[in-house]
Amino acid sequence: MKTSVDLSHHLLSPQPGPLQVPLAGGKTEDKLIDGAAGYPKLLSLIVPTYNESGNIHQIVARLVELLDQALPQNYELIVVDDNSPDGTWEKALLLTQSLPQLRVMRRQQEKGLSSAVIRGWQVAEGEILGVIDADLQHPPEVLLQLAEAMQTGVDLAVASRHVEGGGVSEWSLTRRFLSRGAQMLGLVLLPQVVGRVSDPMSGYFLVRRSAIAGPILNPKGYKILLEVIGRGQVKTIAEVGYVFQERTTGESKVSWRQYVDYIHHLVRLRLAGRLSRLQEQFPLQRFIRFGIVGLSGVFVDMAILYLLHTTLGLPLTRSKIFAGEAAIFNNFIWNDSWTFADVSQQQQGWGPRLKRFLKFNLVCLAGLVLNVLILNFVYNWIFGQRWAYLGNLIAIAVVTIWNFWLNLKLSWRVTQVK
């Protein structure tokens, strides 16, 4: 496919050098450009592509329709294509004939979604920078809600699958498990980064240029949001729920390699020592309530363990499993009606309550496995049979923080699957 010569001014060249977003829109020097709010445009939205020729026309048309009404002549779309074999960049370039707000970048020396987004931001002219996938799995209509959130003054607005109004459409059980497992791993390795948002693996967000300009970014794989939060100066965040859609054309690019890259990225951020110094207030009152509820669970656990192991003579491990599950049920009832009552009141009904219980149970069951392992170790190798209950108390104490932190971030965030 050949493109017209007069369209060449719409074809952008990637900037060489480090992946660093300049403070000034479309410039490398640290000074603002004269114009509205100091920038030529309010919003610069990057659409990274690779083999998306079947989707590019539709995604651009839907975005233009929305943004022409919301931000007339105050935005730009930048398609950054990694030299797709299917000619995505050429199809996008043809669209610039009728869409002056559209620009196209063809990358031939680099590849990767995260670096493509940053290269797009480097040539962007907007005060607010954003990214959306070209495969229509990110509903374009949610962009207006993200823009409204940015108008409140936050530094970052994230489209999330894990807040009210969010969900996934037709994900398999394996993919759901991998996604949640990746999030839990992130909470362990990078709590100050991953814990700030409900959906740290989201690739759909808007960020204020001033929050990420300056630092050299070093993303790995597809999850650029981790890099933005971890290396930027993001002080305030808003989240908007969205339902992740399935592809209608093209092939999914999700593979095991993305999960390996994600883990590599977590480790690299953790070891870099350049994380933002976050000053979020620790939910002390909620933690105290959780601890009181947990104490009631200790009595339930101990009573049933005594009944089954000492009175009825059942094996210790089997007795502990039954006792632990009874304590989990007790703790959920009290946490749902007291500790997290403010959340529960906004998510009434048996359906949302059942979802909260299942999430709570899964998190606590993981803690229960850890509890059983610690109990058996203390029982068999340290104190002996005479101190079984002291070993049980030690095991309970070890998993308390685990249960509180993960339940705070996961169990009382109901995802609506549509």
Side-chain angles (χ1 to χ4, degrees):
M1 181 186 299
K2 295 184 178 180
T3 56
S4 302
V5 176
D6 61 352
L7 298 180
S8 61
H9 63 284
H10 290 287
L11 190 59
L12 304 170
S13 298
Q15 289 190 1
L19 295 172
Q20 185 177 26
V21 179
L23 178 60
K27 299 285 185 178
T28 56
E29 63 269 19
D30 289 339
K31 63 180 180 180
L32 299 181
I33 302 174
D34 292 336
Y39 298 91
K41 303 292 182 183
L42 176 61
L43 172 65
S44 294
L45 186 65
I46 309 303
V47 185
T49 60
Y50 185 75
N51 285 344
E52 296 290 354
S53 61
N55 292 317
I56 191 62
H57 184 277
Q58 186 177 358
I59 184 65
V60 169
R62 290 177 64 178
L63 289 172
V64 167
E65 181 181 4
L66 289 169
L67 294 175
D68 274 354
Q69 296 181 20
L71 301 172
Q73 299 182 344
N74 205 14
Y75 75 94
E76 62 178 347
L77 301 178
I78 302 178
V79 172
V80 181
D81 184 72
D82 283 354
N83 201 27
S84 298
D86 70 354
T88 301
W89 71 272
E90 294 176 295
K91 289 191 175 183
L93 192 58
L94 286 175
L95 297 176
T96 63
Q97 295 179 92
S98 57
L99 299 174
Q101 63 272 62
L102 174 65
R103 297 194 289 166
V104 179
M105 177 185 293
R106 178 191 183 191
R107 297 203 311 165
Q108 298 177 274
Q109 306 300 323
E110 291 180 306
K111 290 190 180 297
L113 184 145
S114 293
S115 62
V117 173
I118 299 172
R119 292 303 186 197
W121 286 345
Q122 286 182 324
V123 300
E125 299 180 344
E127 175 190 4
I128 296 173
L129 308 174
V131 58
I132 183 173
D133 283 354
D135 53 18
L136 297 171
Q137 293 181 308
H138 295 159
E141 294 74 18
V142 176
L143 186 63
L144 300 184
Q145 299 177 51
L146 293 174
E148 290 179 1
M150 293 298 294
Q151 290 178 357
T152 65
V154 299
D155 295 320
L156 174 67
V158 179
S160 171
R161 296 162 295 176
H162 305 314
V163 297
E164 193 71 25
V168 293
S169 51
E170 299 177 4
W171 277 18
S172 66
L173 181 61
T174 300
R175 190 172 179 185
R176 292 172 188 265
F177 174 79
L178 289 174
S179 177
R180 281 300 194 181
Q183 184 176 358
M184 292 172 67
L185 179 62
L187 286 172
V188 173
L189 292 178
L190 278 176
Q192 288 186 308
V193 174
V194 178
R196 296 191 69 189
V197 290
S198 65
D199 193 357
M201 301 180 75
S202 176
Y204 190 9
F205 59 88
L206 300 180
V207 61
R208 208 165 296 279
R209 180 190 290 271
S210 58
I212 58 170
I216 295 177
L217 304 177
N218 189 21
K220 178 71 175 178
Y222 279 53
K223 306 308 174 187
I224 189 174
L225 182 59
L226 293 175
E227 193 75 4
V228 168
I229 299 176
R231 299 189 191 272
Q233 299 296 321
V234 178
K235 297 179 180 179
T236 52
I237 301 175
E239 294 185 281
V240 174
Y242 85 102
V243 178
F244 189 88
Q245 304 297 313
E246 292 302 310
R247 273 181 171 269
T248 56
T249 62
E251 297 182 356
S252 173
K253 300 177 180 65
V254 176
S255 68
W256 283 100
R257 176 62 184 272
Q258 275 67 64
Y259 291 102
V260 173
D261 286 343
Y262 170 75
I263 295 173
H264 185 189
H265 196 182
L266 288 175
V267 173
R268 188 159 65 184
L269 279 173
R270 179 66 180 176
L271 298 178
R274 301 173 62 186
L275 302 179
S276 300
R277 300 302 179 186
L278 310 177
Q279 301 296 330
E280 292 183 291
Q281 183 178 3
F282 184 77
L284 181 59
Q285 292 183 347
R286 202 185 294 273
F287 178 76
I288 292 174
R289 293 179 183 179
F290 188 89
I292 294 174
V293 169
L295 186 60
S296 74
V298 171
F299 286 103
V300 173
D301 186 289
M302 287 291 193
I304 295 181
L305 183 64
Y306 179 84
L307 174 65
L308 297 179
H309 179 56
T310 303
T311 304
L312 300 181
L314 294 179
L316 176 65
T317 299
R318 190 182 308 170
S319 301
K320 174 59 187 177
I321 291 174
F322 284 112
E325 183 59 35
I328 287 174
F329 182 79
N330 169 83
N331 291 359
F332 172 78
I333 296 298
W334 286 104
N335 280 322
D336 199 57
S337 59
W338 184 41
T339 308
F340 300 98
D342 55 329
V343 180
S344 302
Q345 290 173 0
Q346 299 176 14
Q347 302 169 350
Q348 297 182 355
W350 286 105
R353 183 174 298 171
L354 178 60
K355 291 179 183 178
R356 294 195 297 273
F357 175 71
L358 291 176
K359 293 179 183 179
F360 180 81
N361 211 2
L362 286 174
V363 170
C364 292
L365 281 175
L368 177 58
V369 172
L370 180 62
N371 195 318
V372 170
L373 293 174
I374 295 174
L375 171 61
N376 277 273
F377 176 78
V378 173
Y379 180 87
N380 293 310
W381 295 93
I382 300 180
F383 293 141
Q385 297 182 3
R386 292 180 302 173
W387 300 96
Y389 298 103
L390 176 58
N392 190 43
L393 284 173
I394 293 174
I396 290 172
V398 170
V399 300
T400 296
I401 295 178
W402 162 278
N403 286 341
F404 173 73
W405 180 252
L406 290 184
N407 280 306
L408 177 67
K409 297 299 179 181
L410 299 178
S411 297
W412 273 265
R413 292 183 185 273
V414 176
T415 300
Q416 297 180 352
V417 179
K418 299 182 180 179

